[in-house]
Amino acid sequence: MNQNKIAKIFISHGHNELLKLKLKNFIAERLGLYPVILAEQPDLGLTIIEKLEKYGKDCDFALIILTADDQTVNGGIRARQNVIHELGFFHGILGRDKVLLLKQFNVELFANISGLIYKEFEDDKIESIFEDIRFAIETGSAQSRGESVPKKKTDDSEEFSSKISKSIDVVTYEWPKIERRNLLDEMKMITKGLAEDMQVKRVKKFLEDKRKDYEKRLSEAEAEAEKSKETFKADPDHGGKMAAMILSISTTIAPKSTIGFIDKLLNEISFLDSNNVKAQDIINRIIGLFDEEQ
């Protein structure tokens, strides 16, 4: 390795497993570096966002694979929303120079990532840009041998706010669902093997404790969002500060949504319990509410 000493390379990917494996093998076998893929890291009881924060912050460079996974209402093709979220995360913590987009041909880009560098490849032929990836990593700069997403400037605060709102919708759409699914999985685990009446008590206590955790997370996220807003106001043309602001604002949405959902579950438990509903029926109803929200 060169003087930049880049060792850990985060790989963000969509549904295309072949591309992920090709890139992972290239990083590990050809470059002798350590590829970090979120799904392959130990969970350690963490939510997906917590895993991203834990393992992502130790990475030196991020490769973001934008593949044709989702269709837009206009008939276009875009990358998965978790990939867009991870793009914003690494744009914020590493800066533009350490984030390289690997874009499959015909996948849509969007204005709010202006200034980021991308390399394009056709079909599943990601190996066609391996040399550019190697060069970017070894020089420690994504600016080399790449195309820059055109930068657009606007002085219209209303138009800009609209773009920010749309970006927040993109990066946070799936996270509340993921948080609820994690809650359900944890709930099932802690009640396994318990008597029915104890299951209800344990679920109620579990939800009350989780609500406190999410209140703390929300408070911290809102504080960070305010700091990020002020930083961005001081330099609205800085792409990295814009992405960091988008990410910080988006992290408030999942805890808000989850707190509201937990309140719904606790109210439902209290109502059913006060009406002498059987314990197992209460548990089934709570699981049903999880399924309805997905």
Side-chain angles (χ1 to χ4, degrees), residues 71-263:
Q71 188 169 18
T72 68
V73 293
N74 297 322
I77 302 172
R78 69 183 182 190
R80 285 185 68 192
Q81 291 163 335
N82 74 292
V83 175
I84 304 304
H85 179 273
E86 289 164 7
L87 164 61
F89 176 82
F90 286 104
H91 193 174
I93 67 170
L94 294 179
R96 287 180 294 168
D97 214 32
K98 298 293 190 295
V99 180
L100 181 61
L101 274 63
L102 313 177
K103 187 177 86 70
Q104 197 172 39
F105 186 69
N106 281 336
V107 174
E108 290 184 355
L109 291 171
F110 42 95
N112 284 339
I113 57 169
S114 60
L116 277 178
I117 301 301
Y118 72 92
K119 287 300 300 181
E120 193 168 58
F121 60 94
E122 293 187 2
D123 302 320
D124 291 334
K125 300 174 183 177
I126 195 170
E127 59 271 18
S128 66
I129 58 172
F130 276 175
E131 178 59 21
D132 296 298
I133 294 170
R134 179 199 64 77
F135 190 80
I137 292 174
E138 291 189 352
T139 60
S141 174
Q143 305 292 324
S144 306
R145 301 187 182 183
E147 299 295 330
S148 177
V149 180
K151 184 175 181 180
K152 296 184 179 180
K153 180 179 178 181
T154 176
D155 294 324
D156 190 320
S157 59
E158 184 176 346
E159 179 184 353
F160 185 78
S161 297
S162 175
K163 288 181 179 179
I164 291 295
S165 296
K166 290 178 182 177
S167 297
I168 292 171
D169 287 342
V170 170
V171 299
T172 61
Y173 181 77
E174 293 297 329
W175 289 107
K177 291 184 179 180
I178 293 170
E179 295 287 359
R180 289 193 292 269
R181 180 54 56 186
N182 287 340
L183 280 176
L184 177 59
D185 291 342
E186 287 185 65
M187 187 185 79
K188 288 181 176 178
M189 183 176 65
I190 65 171
T191 58
K192 189 175 182 180
L194 293 179
E196 291 180 4
D197 58 334
M198 289 302 297
Q199 286 184 6
V200 175
K201 292 179 181 178
R202 187 68 185 88
V203 166
K204 186 176 180 180
K205 179 66 166 56
F206 165 74
L207 292 174
E208 289 171 342
D209 290 342
K210 280 294 180 181
R211 194 187 193 286
K212 292 177 182 177
D213 291 342
Y214 277 101
E215 283 180 336
K216 182 179 179 181
R217 281 178 54 184
L218 177 58
S219 177
E220 293 172 349
E222 287 178 335
E224 287 301 316
E226 286 303 315
K227 290 180 183 177
S228 188
K229 286 178 185 177
E230 294 303 315
T231 302
F232 178 75
K233 284 179 184 178
D235 189 5
D237 291 329
H238 192 292
K241 291 178 182 178
M242 177 177 66
M245 182 181 70
I246 292 171
L247 176 64
S248 63
I249 293 174
S250 73
T251 57
T252 68
I253 296 177
K256 281 181 181 177
S257 174
T258 307
I259 288 171
F261 182 59
I262 289 174
D263 286 341

